[in-house]
Every structure is written in structure tokens, then in C-alpha cells.
Amino acid sequence: MPAINFTLVKFIYIKFFRSNLFREMATTMIQKPDDILDRETDWAQLVELLESDSAELVFMHGRRRVGKSWMLQRFARAADAMYFQATRGTAAQQIRELSDVVADYFD
């Protein structure tokens, strides 16, 4: 399966309020699950973003039905990060949905 080019836009917003030491330890613990096949490069890029000292916003797009959302959801779960998928709707709906995701994350 070809790597996803990071160029239908789905995104994951990763913001960590952790120390650098914890981030380094967490990075070594974030192993790609066995049920995610042939995504080593994509997973490594996400781990690299995790290691960044700042918040990261990643836009992913590519062919339909290749597992972009599923992989990002799995990574967010493994990294204890927020995941929000933009959908079609009004700006008010998007803001409300994003607010719900942020509230659930910090709850």
C-alpha cells in the first residue's frame, strides 16, 4: 500500500501539555498496532510530530477508503491526543463539534 501523501481534508490536532522527558518516554512507547498494516512511514511521521516541541496541525488527504481516519484515530488513542475530523457542515456545526472534542479530551 503506498504511503499517504500529506497533501478531502482530514486532520489531527496534537497538543501535548507534558514535559520533554515524558514526551521522549511516550514516543518510545507508541508502537504501531499490529492490525495497522504497511504504514510504517506514515506512523513514523506522526511519531515525529509528537516529538515536536509545539502543537502540530496535520492535513491528510488521499484516496477514499484507504484507512486515513482509522490510522489517525488509532494514533490519537495511542498518543493520548485529540482527534477531530472535519465534515461538511456549517461553521457553527464545526465549531460545536470541535468544542465537544476538546471538552471531552480535558474532561
Side-chain angles (χ1 to χ4, degrees):
M1 181 175 291
I4 296 171
N5 66 16
F6 288 85
T7 53
L8 234 257
V9 171
K10 298 181 183 213
F11 69 91
I12 185 170
Y13 178 71
I14 303 172
K15 175 69 178 178
F16 296 93
F17 299 97
R18 300 179 177 146
S19 68
N20 286 336
L21 176 61
F22 185 84
R23 185 177 294 119
E24 289 171 14
M25 290 170 32
T27 301
T28 61
M29 294 185 294
I30 299 178
Q31 298 296 318
K32 183 176 73 63
D34 292 336
D35 57 348
I36 296 179
L37 305 174
D38 300 328
R39 296 286 191 180
E40 285 76 14
T41 302
D42 300 324
W43 193 269
Q45 287 176 320
L46 291 170
V47 170
E48 186 177 315
L49 291 169
L50 173 67
E51 293 173 340
S52 171
D53 290 330
S54 61
E56 301 290 345
L57 178 64
V58 176
F59 291 89
M60 289 184 83
H61 64 90
R63 291 184 337 187
R64 296 182 54 202
R65 315 290 303 162
V66 296
K68 296 178 297 292
S69 298
W70 188 73
M71 185 180 69
L72 290 173
Q73 290 167 350
R74 295 294 304 273
F75 185 81
R77 188 179 327 140
D80 189 26
M82 280 184 276
Y83 172 83
F84 174 74
Q85 179 175 328
T87 57
R88 294 182 185 200
T90 66
Q93 290 169 323
Q94 293 290 330
I95 291 169
R96 186 172 43 254
E97 290 172 12
L98 178 58
S99 297
D100 291 344
V101 169
V102 172
D104 288 345
Y105 180 78
F106 288 106
D107 197 13

